[in-house]
Amino acid sequence: MDIRFLTTFLEVAETRHFGRAAENLYLTQSAVSARIKLLEEYFNTALFIRNRNSIQITPAGEKLIPYAQELSDTIAKARKSLAEEECQHISCGSTQSAYLLFLSTLLPSMLSQFNSVSFRHEIATIEQITRQLHEHSIDFALTSSQVKSDDIESTLLFEVPLCIYLTNSPTSEVINDINIEWSASANEKIAKKYPELRKAKLRTSSIDVALTVAKAEPSRLVLPVKTHPFLDDNLKQSIASFDANELPQGISVPVYLNQLKNQSNSGVEDVLVFMKKAVKP
């Protein structure tokens, strides 16, 4: 039996309409009807009751749905596995700030260095990253807070000093506070030094959002020092017109590299070594 017959059956069962099923599968309606008829002959039972204005699924059709879905999913997984066999696949995640401070500048050279590897990356919260590491859906992650788990190795790569920035506001007496969520430890220290940031007009984890607002209205916000080697060039240009003052010593954003202690993806270690070498003292 052709597995496509089961795919067609599932689409008709979902839409309860031969015409819509045909459109979704890029088939003619007659082809869909023919596949369902052959499927019914194969199982020697009616799967649908065809009325003039509606289609009802039979009890036999209801019983077939989970089996058809399981077979369809298995075939899809097999196709994906065979397609991935030709190259190494590595998945990684990062928090917004860790991506900005490190991975955004490193990723192009990493793709060039490992040209036979296919990378997948996504931005996620530290809670999502912890879960994904445990589920083996990502191979490693960069975060701005330490991942606390007995099964995860969390290594501090470096720390980025922070500055308080003011947009030039020669005629304005109103300064908007913007609170960027760098990391729990950094923001706690910043809040002690600048308690008014707790009631900031804008709180965001996105540096792009913060800069858009800061360039539009006089604002005060905390950003990495402009001389930091991992600071994006576009960001340097964006804050070039800002007045900066260094924060007290000890206020910085950490960047951690996280991986499962029992790493199963054999190609990951070379990538991690490359990343650690890229960290400048």
Side-chain angles (χ1 to χ4, degrees):
M1 181 182 60
D2 194 326
I3 189 67
R4 291 174 295 180
F5 291 3
L6 291 176
T7 304
T8 304
F9 162 74
L10 288 171
E11 192 63 37
V12 175
E14 174 70 22
T15 61
R16 302 298 173 93
H17 196 282
F18 280 84
R20 283 195 290 273
E23 291 177 4
N24 294 342
L25 295 171
Y26 301 99
L27 296 171
T28 63
Q29 187 168 333
S30 59
V32 170
S33 298
R35 287 184 178 185
I36 296 301
K37 183 178 180 181
L38 288 170
L39 200 60
E40 289 178 325
E41 291 176 356
Y42 180 86
F43 288 110
N44 194 29
T45 186
L47 300 174
F48 298 100
I49 299 173
R50 300 159 177 80
N51 298 319
R52 176 173 293 183
N53 296 320
S54 65
I55 295 175
Q56 303 294 325
I57 192 166
T58 65
E62 292 283 3
K63 289 182 179 179
L64 180 59
I65 287 177
Y67 296 105
Q69 190 64 63
E70 183 177 357
L71 285 169
S72 180
D73 291 345
T74 300
I75 292 297
K77 289 178 182 177
R79 285 176 175 169
K80 182 180 179 181
S81 178
L82 291 174
E84 293 178 350
E85 195 174 59
E86 296 181 358
C87 68
Q88 174 77 25
H89 285 255
I90 293 177
S91 298
C92 61
S94 68
T95 57
Q96 178 78 22
S97 54
Y99 173 79
L100 169 71
L101 296 173
F102 186 45
L103 197 56
S104 62
T105 54
L106 182 67
L107 193 55
S109 58
M110 193 163 69
L111 296 178
S112 176
Q113 176 72 19
F114 301 94
N115 54 21
S116 62
V117 175
S118 174
F119 288 93
R120 180 176 67 86
H121 171 264
E122 62 179 271
I123 299 292
T125 64
I126 193 165
E127 291 80 10
Q128 292 170 328
I129 283 172
T130 303
R131 185 180 69 252
Q132 290 169 342
L133 284 170
H134 282 122
E135 292 175 350
H136 296 265
S137 57
I138 57 175
D139 298 302
F140 67 89
L142 292 160
T143 61
S144 52
S145 297
Q146 188 173 16
V147 175
K148 297 180 180 179
S149 171
D150 293 338
D151 300 323
I152 296 174
E153 181 180 344
S154 189
T155 305
L156 177 64
L157 291 179
F158 58 89
E159 293 186 85
V160 181
L162 297 174
C163 282
I164 187 81
Y165 289 84
L166 291 174
T167 56
N168 293 324
S169 53
T171 60
S172 176
E173 296 181 358
V174 179
I175 303 294
N176 294 322
D177 284 323
I178 301 175
N179 193 342
I180 301 175
E181 298 170 358
W182 289 107
S183 71
S185 59
N187 282 76
E188 183 179 352
K189 293 176 182 177
I190 293 168
K192 289 182 179 179
K193 176 66 177 176
Y194 301 95
E196 56 271 28
L197 285 177
R198 293 181 183 272
K199 299 180 181 179
K201 189 172 183 180
L202 172 67
R203 296 177 63 91
T204 179
S205 61
S206 171
I207 192 69
D208 292 330
V209 171
L211 288 174
T212 298
V213 175
K215 286 187 288 185
E217 299 181 355
S219 304
R220 173 171 55 179
L221 67 168
V222 175
L223 297 169
V225 291
K226 290 188 289 184
T227 56
H228 195 278
F230 297 113
L231 199 62
D232 184 81
D233 287 340
N234 292 329
L235 182 56
K236 290 180 183 179
Q237 294 173 6
S238 297
I239 63 178
S241 61
F242 292 10
D243 294 327
N245 295 298
E246 288 193 20
L247 290 172
Q249 187 176 5
I251 300 185
S252 58
V253 183
V255 175
Y256 292 91
L257 175 61
N258 308 277
Q259 65 180 115
L260 281 175
K261 292 179 179 178
N262 56 339
Q263 177 61 249
S264 58
N265 192 335
S266 59
V268 173
E269 192 57 38
D270 290 340
V271 175
L272 299 185
V273 170
F274 175 81
M275 294 177 67
K276 291 175 182 177
K277 287 182 178 180
V279 177
K280 297 179 181 179

